[in-house]
Amino acid sequence: MARRSITLLSVATVAALAVTGCSSSSKTNTSSDSSSAKPVTLTFWGTYGNGGNKTQTDALSQTIIPAFEKANPNIKINYVDIPYDSLLQKLTTSAAGGELPDLVRSDIGWVPKFAALKVFAQLDGSLPNFDTLSADNYPGSLATNKYNGHYYGLPLDTNTRVLISNRAALASAGITAPPATFEELKSDAAKLQAKKIAVFADSGLQGWNVYPWIWSAGGQVTSPDLTKATGFLNSPESVAGVQMLVDLYKQGAIPNLIIGNKGAVQTSDGLPKANYANILDGPWMQGIWAGQYPKFAPIYSQVPAGPGGSISVVGGEDINLTTASKNPDAAKKFIAFTQTADYQLAMAKTGQMSVVKSLDSQEAATVPAFAPYIKQLQTARPRPSVPQAPAIDTALSNELTKAFQGSESVQQALDNAAKTIDPLLTQTN
């Protein structure tokens, strides 16, 4: 499952449709011909109101949808808001019962499952201007829609994890800046331990947590064609990335929150309280801390770089057309609409990060706090886009827990995880 935003997701004003999504002054008219098109109503399922965010759903119904319908007077949108925790099950049961909507705002982790089940429709070769639209998406975000060589959606909103640091915690140990490299992270650990501060903390050992360290170390998770983990997940580079974390854990520089200790201080509290000097997390933390720790002013920077560079992991949601839609051409107009500059930048103002690369500078100017995340997204990668992704996370976490606890070496843990993951990569559903 993809990590999802938990705050600040609402919708603001958008203007006319633009297929290229480059800027509000560079648009391609995608509106319907009102004199000849047959009126249709599209049903769109989403989770914009997750967590009781009424502002978000109000804006969608009062601003976004009216803007689209004005440009396309023969297309009406019936938006149905569904709790995040219920949408996956509703999609599954509705697919079996043949009662699917036209469009779905889906978690990025769901796309390969529903593509394999032929619930989501292929867009490449079908959506007008797909090549142009997709070329302006972040590669990592776009890849979450790819299954078996084809694309079954487009990115709708995105996020990633960056290094977030407590400047006071660092300063107490004489450290003037967050660690920019693996070596600086390791060097800072001893200085911070003298002050009883953990150099780093995280809340799990799934892909969302450990892939940035593997990739930044120069390792890989699977083969490029997503058919094999052995030789990639357990390569010397991948082992080195995890070994650094295990070594820090064993010396007491990383708390046991990382192996699931429910009693440990959570990262959302531990960072502002200076229990921890650094964490990896997403843009939603700004809203959380604004309410809970209004005086906390953390530093946002890139994932510490290793031999492979500074590489993080992609989160977010995609927009997908179902194969059950009786009006796919009209639905594709709405999909193109979600890629417009006006739509993406307006959504950025509400806390959703744009998926369109050409809007980087405008987005950073609109929401300055997004700047480090925008930079990180340039190299951020997706978790394996396969139906069995949750099982892959489980296998990885189970084996790595043993390595952190000392019952297996990191090499043994990743060997075993790769052996378990190999057959999962070739399962189709």
Side-chain angles (χ1 to χ4, degrees):
M1 297 276 295
R3 177 66 179 265
R4 56 189 170 93
S5 303
I6 60 177
T7 62
L8 298 180
L9 299 183
S10 59
V11 185
T13 304
V14 295
L17 297 178
V19 171
T20 60
C22 295
S23 72
S24 58
S25 62
S26 176
K27 299 180 180 179
T28 301
N29 185 7
T30 63
S31 60
S32 303
D33 181 354
S34 60
S35 64
S36 59
K38 180 180 178 181
V40 300
T41 297
L42 303 174
T43 300
F44 176 31
W45 286 0
T47 58
Y48 283 104
N50 189 64
N53 195 332
K54 191 172 184 294
T55 303
Q56 173 184 352
T57 51
D58 283 350
L60 184 66
S61 62
Q62 296 171 15
T63 304
I64 295 288
I65 290 175
F68 174 78
E69 291 177 344
K70 183 178 180 180
N72 297 270
N74 289 291
I75 305 175
K76 302 299 179 184
I77 304 294
N78 173 33
Y79 175 71
V80 180
D81 200 70
I82 300 168
Y84 179 90
D85 293 336
S86 302
L87 182 54
L88 179 60
Q89 182 60 39
K90 186 172 178 63
L91 277 171
T92 303
T93 56
S94 296
E99 298 178 355
L100 286 164
D102 298 276
L103 295 158
V104 180
R105 178 186 186 239
S106 67
D107 187 291
I108 59 174
W110 303 346
V111 176
K113 172 181 178 178
F114 289 110
L117 293 172
K118 302 188 185 304
V119 172
F120 288 166
Q122 179 182 324
L123 291 188
D124 55 308
S126 169
L127 176 70
N129 291 327
F130 176 84
D131 290 344
T132 300
L133 293 169
S134 61
D136 206 13
N137 289 146
Y138 294 112
S141 299
L142 177 64
T144 65
N145 290 283
K146 190 174 185 179
Y147 173 71
N148 202 24
H150 292 285
Y151 293 90
Y152 292 82
L154 281 175
L156 187 58
D157 54 81
T158 190
N159 58 69
T160 187
R161 304 181 95 199
V162 301
L163 191 74
I164 312 178
S165 308
N166 184 316
R167 67 181 73 236
L170 295 174
S172 71
I175 301 168
T176 59
T181 65
F182 281 15
E183 292 306 313
E184 289 180 10
L185 182 71
K186 292 185 286 186
S187 176
D188 289 351
K191 301 173 187 177
L192 288 161
Q193 276 189 284
K195 299 294 182 179
K196 298 183 179 179
I197 300 171
V199 70
F200 176 73
D202 209 341
S203 56
L205 291 169
Q206 296 186 332
W208 178 256
N209 310 97
V210 300
Y211 289 163
W213 303 104
I214 289 174
W215 289 325
S216 296
Q220 302 290 333
V221 177
T222 71
S223 57
D225 62 1
L226 302 178
T227 61
K228 195 173 183 62
T230 297
F232 299 89
L233 181 61
N234 58 342
S235 70
E237 294 82 3
S238 297
V239 170
V242 177
Q243 188 69 59
M244 179 183 68
L245 298 180
V246 170
D247 290 345
L248 290 171
Y249 177 80
K250 289 181 177 180
Q251 73 183 57
I254 294 178
N256 61 10
L257 174 66
I258 200 168
I259 61 170
N261 179 6
K262 302 301 182 183
V265 179
Q266 297 299 306
T267 55
S268 58
D269 295 312
L271 190 72
K273 290 182 176 180
N275 299 91
Y276 314 140
N278 306 283
I279 66 172
L280 294 183
D281 221 321
W284 48 83
M285 296 308 300
Q286 298 170 49
I288 292 173
W289 286 323
Q292 297 179 357
Y293 300 95
K295 295 182 179 180
F296 180 49
I299 305 171
Y300 296 86
S301 55
Q302 305 304 284
V303 171
S310 172
I311 303 174
S312 194
V313 62
V314 165
E317 284 82 24
D318 295 324
I319 186 160
N320 309 94
L321 169 68
T322 71
T323 53
S325 176
K326 293 181 173 60
N327 299 288
D329 290 341
K332 289 169 189 175
K333 288 180 180 292
F334 188 77
I335 291 175
F337 170 68
T338 68
Q339 306 295 299
T340 67
D342 295 300
Y343 178 89
Q344 290 286 319
L345 291 178
M347 296 295 270
K349 292 177 183 178
T350 71
Q352 286 189 322
M353 294 195 68
S354 171
V355 298
V356 179
K357 294 185 299 182
S358 62
L359 300 177
D360 283 356
S361 60
Q362 294 178 68
E363 184 182 16
T366 301
V367 188
F370 280 171
Y373 291 94
I374 293 170
K375 182 177 180 181
Q376 194 75 71
L377 278 167
Q378 303 297 329
T379 58
R381 298 178 185 175
R383 286 151 285 181
S385 185
V386 295
Q388 299 302 320
I392 290 173
D393 266 343
T394 298
L396 183 66
S397 180
N398 287 346
E399 290 299 332
L400 288 183
T401 297
K402 298 174 186 177
F404 276 75
Q405 292 176 329
S407 60
E408 289 183 354
S409 68
V410 173
Q411 183 71 64
Q412 289 172 325
L414 291 179
D415 285 346
N416 292 339
K419 184 177 179 180
T420 301
I421 291 169
D422 280 345
L424 295 175
L425 291 170
T426 58
Q427 291 185 22
T428 58
N429 54 58

